[in-house]
Structure formats: structure tokens, C-alpha cells
Amino acid sequence: MIRLEKRPQPSRAFSLATPLLAVLATMVFGGLMFAVLGKDPVTSIITIFWQPLFGEFAFYYRPQLLIKGAPLVLIAIGLSLGFKAGIWNIGAEGQYIMGALFGAGVGLAFYPMESFIVFPMMVLAGAFGGWLWAMIPALLKVKFGTNEILVSLMLVYVAEQFLASMSLGLMKNPEGFGFPGSRNLQQYNSAFNADLIEGSGMHWGVVAALIAVIFAYVLLTKHRLGFAIRVTGEAPRAARFSGVNPTRLVLFCLGASGLLAGLAGLFEVAGPAGQVTIDFNVGYGFTAIIVAFLGRLHPIGILLAGGLMALTYIGGDIAQSQLGLPAAAIQVFQGMLLFFLLAFDLLTNYRLRPGRTEVA
Amino acid sequence: MNEKPLLELSGLTKAYPGVVANDDVSLRIAPGEVHALLGENGAGKSTLVKMIYGLVKPDAGRMQMHGTGFAPAEPRAARAAGVGMVFQHFSLFDALTVAENIALGMEDAPKLRTLSQRIREVSDTYGLPLSPDRVVGDLSAGERQRVEIIRCLLQEPKLLIMDEPTSVLTPQEVEILFKTLRKLSAEGTAILYISHKLEEIRALCDSATILRLGKVVGHCTPSETSARDMAEMMVGTVLKTPTRAGKTPGDVVLSLTGLSAKSPSAFGMPLREISVEVRAGEVLGIGGVAGNGQDELLAALSGETLSAPGMIAFRGRDVSVLGPTPRRAMGILTAPEERLGHAAAPDMSLTENAMLTGAARENLDRGGLLDWSAARSFAERIISTFDVRTPGPGNAARSLSGGNLQKFVIGREVLQRPDLLVVNQPTWGVDASAAAAIRQALLDLAENGAAIIAISQDLDELMEISDRFAALNEGRLSPPRPAQGLTVDEIGMMMGGAHGMEVAHV
């Protein structure tokens, strides 16, 4: 029999190795699943992990990686700050939608005026929208002690209704022949979040994501606030004792994650998506939760995890179209990744020991 | 000990990674014998009793009960064989009644009414009055201990293990507990008694086994051995008694005026109208049974809970509404009782834990940016000054033994040159030589003009270091009296007497 024994202190080696082990285990068990579905496991895994990067059509897929990865990283960085402190913002999807609506709203309000000021204004509005939406669970939590998990999650559905209402009403394209959805911001130069280098997929959202990674890294390792976040997550009483104000921390963590999610929404609506439509949101806000944990709540880890997750998305799409794998199988595959990550995570704090038999 | 032993241990060995907790330990306990297990923290007392109670399996060695092999695989088997254990920390549910709590711990609990009846019988017989219908959250620590003891007695044990049972009791309550234990012993129940309070062991125990670093280093008959000799056997060196020069107290550093505060926790104790002054160079000892407002008083002084304006003045300045950080900057430093999770973050390194309270006064926080190399050298300074046994400041707080972490936590505050230092249970679970070092550090601080408030449940400690003594009872602080010349009875009365306990009808 095998027993678990708590380590005297967390293993650094395992903390680093866990994500790799999880990816390997996902490949093995995902491959088994594909085999059961009647697909060649090796081909499937290669299609998912290799094709997007180095395959025949990689020139098309590589920019897609950035486009998919950037919002994931941007949102996950914000979420990780709260998660580290034990503050659970589950509603990034809603904040993402509100950021897009606020940002697009500002852009559409200026239409058709061309000015360099329009896009920065939209960025500010997007950040504000996401921040505002996150402040609702934050204020309810600090004033009335409500559970931020529930409130932020429920607000996702409220935001979705807003999105539907906006794309059918206020923001509907007056020249859109009655179809739902706003004007296409890609056709409005001052508002378009275009690729910085044509065809590279490198838009302002990617830049923002990289800045967020660096900012979060410095915050967590060098700054008092980052230390307060970490202590609060590790030992809330010790944090209070050291002088951390829990109210302010809740406001900061939820506010920052909302702000970054709002930015992600803005960059998406002004760039790759182009318009406000009913089905604008595709679940980045929820997937970012997986990205945050896959990256071990560490900024660099999140950067890598965001890339990996984008890879499975795009690879999954290719596998669907080329091999005919069902979409659900791809989702199970992504779910496995989180499952194995959490399972192997145990080894950071525990070690396996062969159980001893009775001593005579 | 020529009697046939009840329990005989021979050659018990248990190793953990990196440390041998018990090395070839042998021990005999006769029926009805009160046997003391003495040793510093980390000497292996807990591991030894855990093996007897079936919580830990020995690597080598044999245990015999009544002359037959005894190897409990789990506590249930140990209980079935007649071993009962009262832990230092109670495992009781505050929201349930006494009877419900006891029923939860039994394998096949009888109906609650029958059980209540049996609880009453046992409590009458052994002088442990306890109403089965009371809610545990309303009980004092002494009463909670009675719940644990009665839970054991209901199983009619042959051997009762008691781990530091008196740390939560008033002197009167201790007397009552001893009567109960003597009665049990007279009826043939053997008692294995773990304590570091040597005078108690001298008063109660028939024989003693002394452990040091996992090995048996001696046996003695406590009534014939001096406390000092026993302590030196435990430590293995000659002990220094803390010394101090006589002095006159200086200006008022802290003055509390009608300090009242609600407890942050549901079953905590509110502070009620506490008024007291502490002067520079003075040690105010605050005694009292645990749960009478000690944690709340420390939180009110550290700034974790804020008070109404005018209640707390530091050097004449009202600090009632200031949080921990500004108070620290002014020179009010505190060390809470709970080391892991309150005074220190368990999974963080010692460097990070040095940062936890040292940021402001040690200049580790420069405009929000943290200076980790300075924090590291601060941690190293604590480690070397206070002889903290650890491979280095990069190690997690939880990897330290209780005593070593306590040295670190106290040292961290002492080295920050406080003007007022408030400590709660400064030597709890610390070995004798380290405890002496901590007390000496507190006295040295006072010598250099700091005001010290030492909250403790160890009366010997308080008498040793305090200039004045006051007691917390039900959240009220008795008027302080000069510590010199106070008798144990007077202290007991200040602490609120025996909380309605009766002496066993022997």
C-alpha cells in the first residue's frame, strides 16, 4: 500500500515539474481516449500539439496562437492576484463582456470622427467597464460579507443579457440591414486594434498581456502589496497581524482582475472580433481560470500556460476538422489537463511512501 | 517496581526523515502508578505516547500490556485495550452539548439519556462536576478538560495518558485535578503524565522517566529529586536563572482607559473596562486561565482590532484607531500566542516571516518596494542571536519545531527595539533552556527602558519576570499588585478562583 506523507516543506522541484507531468499525463490519457474513439492516438496528439506550431499551415496558425493566448493571459494574470489571496473572482467572463461593451460604446459614440484619441479613450473605457463590473461583488463582499464567487458568477449572466440587449438595441448597426450586431470596428480606422505588424497576430492586447505579466511579476516579488496578497492567501490571520487591511485587498484584487478582463474584452472587440454581437464572448473568462492554475498562479507560468491552452484550442480545432474528433472530446482533453494538474499538485506538499507492514 | 507491570515498553524506536524521535526507549508502568514523562520539546515524549495510543507505529521494539504483546494499529484498538488519552488540545465542537460531544467520540454510543446519566455518575464519583446538557462553547477551559477526561473515564481505562493537562488550569483547578488523578491511581488506574512543570510532577508522580533527544537519560523518584536537578537532567546542561537588576520604573508608556472590545470570534471573550498603566522599564505580568480575553487583549494592543477613541494611549498619544503598521512604526510590538498561522505564515520562509512584522522598523520597505536581501540578513540575525535551530532563513516556518519557531517569533520583535512589547505565552512549548533565554531577553529589554506586558498561563514564569501582576478573568483585568510576595492562593483568587469546581470526594 502507498501512503501520503506531508513534506516538511514544499518541494520546489515538484512545484516546477507538476505542469510538465500534467501535460504528459494528459497526452497519455487523452491519447487513450482518442484511441477508444477510434482515432490514431499518436496522430491526434501530433495534430493538437505540433500542427499549429510547425505544420504545413503554421504560418496561418501561429498568429492565431497570439490572438487566442493574449486574452487568456491578460485575464489569468488578473485572476491569479486574487486567487493567491484567496479572493475568488469567477466572473471574469462578465467583466470581459462589460469591458468590450464600454470600450466599443465609446468607439461607436465617436464614429465616424477619425482621431488618434479615440483608441486610447476606448482602452480606458474598457478597463473602466471591467473594473466597474468587478466592483459590484467587491463592494457587496466588504459591506455585507456576500460570497464573491456566487455574485461574480451570477453577474456573468447579467452581462450576457446586457450584451444581447446592446447588440439588438442601442449599439445595433443602423446600416446593418436589421441584422443584430454593431458596426464593425475593423472598418473604423481610429478604433481598430489592428496587428502592429501586418499578419503577425501581434495586436495591442498581446502587448498589454506581456506588460501585465511583467507588472504582476514585479508586484508579487518586489512590492509590499504583492507580499500582502501572498501572506493573505497563506495565512489570513498572520496577514492581519502584519497590518494588511483585508477590505482594501479585496477591492484591489477584484478591481485589478476586472480591469484586466475588461481590457481583454476591449482588445478583442476592437480587433479580432470587430463588433459587438450576441455571441461575442466565447468563454475566455472561464478558461482563464484554468490558465491561472495551470500556470501555478505565477506570472511566467501563466504566460506559458496561456500559450499551451491556446495551442490546445487551435490544435483541437484542427483535430476536429481534419480527424473528425468531436468537440466534446477536445473539451474533455482540456479538462484532463486541469484534473492532472491538481492531482500532481499534491506532490508538491506530500510525498508518496510505500506503506510499512506491522512491526513485530 | 517489582510489581508485574501493566505496560512494558522495550527498545521502542521510531525515526522520521532526518531525525530519530525515539531511540531504544524502554519503560515500565505498574498498575496504579503515576508515571511522569519528562523532556524538552523535541525529546520524543509525544512520539512515545502516540505509539502507545496507536497513532504512530514504531519502527522497532516491543510493547507489552499485561505481559502479552500489544501493538495497536489505531487509537480504537488502543482504547479497546484500556488506554485512554487526554490531549493538550481539545477536540470538541463548540456548538454541541457535553453529552453530544462525548457520544461523537464513542464507538457504540448509548442513547443520549443513558449517556447523560453515566456522565453524571462518573463526574460525581471523581469530583468533576459537569452538566451533560451544557453547550461546550460556554464552558471554561478547565471544564472542557473535564469533558475530555470524562470521555476517557467512561471507557474505564487501565492507563490514562495526560499531555500537559494543567496548562489551562488555575492553581485551584490543578489541585482538584490532582485529587481526581490520585483517586484514579488508588483504584488501580495507571497514569502517564506529561508535563514540563516540575513542581507539579514532584507533587503528583510516583516515578519519572526523563527523555532527551529521543533517548532515556534517566529515571528518578520526583518526590526525592529537586526540580532543578530534574530540569538539568532534561536539558543536559546547567541552567541559568534569569537575572535582573533592581530599578525604578520610568514614564508611563501605555495607558488603557476603560478598554472594551467585542471578540472577533463567536465563542471568544469580550474585553470589559480594562484600565491599567504600564511604565518604561517595567514588566506587567498578566495571568489567567486561557480563554478569558488573552487573545483579545493582544489583538486590541497590536491593532488587529481597533478600539473606540480614548481607550489606548501610547506615550500620551491616542492610538486606539491606528492599525498594526502605524503602531509598529511607533514602537508597539507584539507576539501572539498562536505561532503557526498568526505570528508566522507556515508555508513561507523565515526571510518572508521576518518581513512580516519587520518591514517598517527594519527599513525593509522602501516606498513600497521590499528589500529582500536586508530581510534575509535580518532573519539571519534573529536566527543567530536567538539560537534558532534551522538550516537557514530560506526554510519554511512550519519546518521548525515549536520551540525554535517561538524563539524566532519572539526574537523578531525583540530585535526591533520595541518601546512596548506585548507577548502572549512567550515560552509555550519551549524547552527549559530556550525559555530561560527568552525570559532573559524580555528582562534585558525592560532593563533598557522598554515596557513589557507578558501574558502567560505559566504562573512560575510570571512570578519570575513580572514587577507587577494582574489577572484576566471573564475579560476583566484585576487591579495589578506587586508580584513580589504574592502567594499562590492570592493569585488563584485574582484569577477567579476555581470556576465552581469541587474537590473529589475521596
Side-chain angles (χ1 to χ4, degrees), chain A residues 5-10 221-224 227 230-231 234-235 237-238 240-243 349 351 356 358-360, chain B residues 58-59 61 71 304 324-325 328 334 336 341-342 347-348 352 355-357 365 368-370 372 395-396 398 412:
Chain A
E5 186 177 283
K6 190 153 187 172
R7 294 176 191 274
Q9 51 183 341
T221 52
K222 301 278 181 217
H223 198 271
R224 178 175 48 201
F227 185 58
R230 289 194 293 129
V231 182
E234 299 266 358
R237 272 189 91 194
R240 276 200 78 115
F241 171 64
S242 86
N349 278 310
R351 64 181 134 210
R356 288 212 188 79
E358 205 85 346
V359 174
Chain B
D59 296 338
E304 284 164 274
T325 311
R328 254 184 216 119
T334 52
H342 194 185
D347 283 322
M348 291 187 132
E352 287 167 309
M355 179 68 84
L356 203 63
T357 70
D365 177 350
L369 289 180
L370 304 176
W372 286 110
N395 280 53
R398 75 153 195 252
R412 181 178 67 186

